[in-house]
Amino acid sequence: MDTKFKVDQKVVYPSQGVGKIVEVFERSFKDTVTPYYKIYIEASDMMVMVPVDNAESLGIRQTVDAEEAQQALNLLSEECEPITSDWKLRYQMNLDLLKKGTIKDIATIVRCLYNRSKVKELPIQERKLYDSAKKLLIDEISIALEKSEKEIESEIHTKLEPPGLAPKIKHLQNLDEDEDDDLMDDMKKSDDSDDSDDSDDQDDSNSSDDMDSDDDFGDDEEF
């Protein structure tokens, strides 16, 4: 079967991480035969099946070479673009970059959120997004440069914050109207409400919380 990716080839699935093509197979439905990639994502110990014809639209790509990986590392130490204080807007912009999934996009997320964290602590969802993007970056660069994940993590930290130098941030937009505070206030109100409910009725202590957080950045695609 003639396909772009071959068995045993390393590929990147946007928002999921580096995977390995373990099989290329066909499925028949009525009179239609559809070729599929079976991809094993090691970071999440997950096997996914993707129609070959949909792979490009989903952003699945081969891992970068050493030169591109080094460029992504170097990008981390470049001057950071203005960062909005509206956490919802910031989160959506970075989430869109994560879904695009180029190594430059991922490095941009890491740089943006790291520098923002030096100004003010990140909200919980942004912290998870930062951790996810950083893990994706470490995984791909370690493969491209043939170095251990620990070595790449150390290099990333050095690029983000060179010894003796402060993070390079042009300026922070709307600092006086920080939307992060709105998020923290909402969380506090929710906690206070839960405490009040517990004191009124001890028998409801095993009930579920009123609000669930969305922890999964990559569940918007279906196969």
Side-chain angles (χ1 to χ4, degrees):
M1 189 185 308
D2 186 21
T3 58
K4 181 177 180 179
F5 304 119
K6 307 300 181 184
V7 173
D8 292 333
Q9 183 176 353
K10 293 287 183 68
V11 296
V12 176
Y13 191 116
S15 79
Q16 299 294 335
V18 177
K20 180 179 179 181
I21 305 290
V22 297
E23 185 181 357
V24 181
F25 66 99
E26 294 181 338
R27 275 186 170 179
S28 298
F29 180 72
K30 295 183 177 180
D31 296 329
T32 303
V33 176
T34 304
Y36 280 80
Y37 294 120
K38 183 182 286 187
I39 307 173
Y40 176 65
I41 310 294
E42 183 176 359
S44 55
D45 191 25
M46 177 174 63
M47 193 76 73
V48 297
M49 292 180 292
V50 179
V52 170
D53 291 342
N54 292 353
E56 184 174 353
S57 64
L58 290 173
I60 295 175
R61 59 175 176 81
Q62 65 182 11
T63 54
V64 298
D65 58 23
E67 182 179 358
E68 289 179 279
Q70 189 60 54
Q71 289 174 354
L73 274 176
N74 293 341
L75 185 149
L76 297 175
S77 60
E78 293 179 4
E79 188 173 31
C80 191
E81 293 301 317
I83 305 172
T84 177
S85 63
D86 184 335
W87 83 271
K88 294 177 183 178
L89 176 59
R90 197 170 62 228
Y91 179 81
Q92 188 59 54
M93 290 170 60
N94 284 319
L95 189 60
D96 290 343
L97 287 177
L98 188 70
K99 290 177 180 179
K100 287 174 60 179
T102 70
I103 195 166
K104 182 178 179 180
D105 291 330
I106 297 170
T108 298
I109 296 169
V110 172
R111 181 185 63 182
C112 169
L113 294 183
Y114 178 83
N115 283 293
R116 173 58 182 169
S117 73
K118 306 305 290 185
V119 176
K120 187 168 186 177
E121 183 179 359
L122 296 175
I124 295 172
Q125 282 188 292
E126 274 200 307
R127 179 68 198 185
K128 291 179 179 179
L129 180 58
Y130 170 77
D131 290 341
S132 178
K134 184 178 176 183
K135 180 66 170 63
L136 294 174
L137 195 63
I138 290 172
D139 287 350
E140 185 167 8
I141 292 179
S142 65
I143 290 173
L145 299 185
E146 298 182 342
K147 293 183 179 181
S148 71
E149 293 183 5
K150 187 174 182 180
E151 287 177 295
I152 297 303
E153 184 173 14
S154 177
E155 287 190 37
I156 287 174
H157 184 267
T158 300
K159 290 289 186 181
L160 288 169
E161 192 167 338
L165 294 180
K168 301 177 180 179
I169 308 175
K170 289 183 179 179
H171 64 273
L172 184 68
Q173 298 176 346
N174 302 326
L175 184 59
D176 293 334
E177 298 178 2
D178 198 326
E179 297 293 338
D180 291 356
D181 291 334
D182 293 340
L183 175 65
M184 298 307 177
D185 289 343
D186 289 343
M187 292 174 63
K188 185 176 186 303
K189 289 176 182 177
S190 177
D191 290 342
D192 291 342
S193 176
D194 289 343
D195 291 342
S196 176
D197 290 343
D198 288 343
S199 64
D200 290 340
D201 188 355
Q202 293 294 334
D203 294 334
D204 290 338
S205 60
N206 293 325
S207 63
S208 61
D209 292 340
D210 292 336
M211 298 179 62
D212 294 326
S213 62
D214 182 4
D215 294 338
D216 194 348
F217 303 115
D219 259 355
D220 55 331
E221 302 289 0
E222 296 183 358
F223 310 104

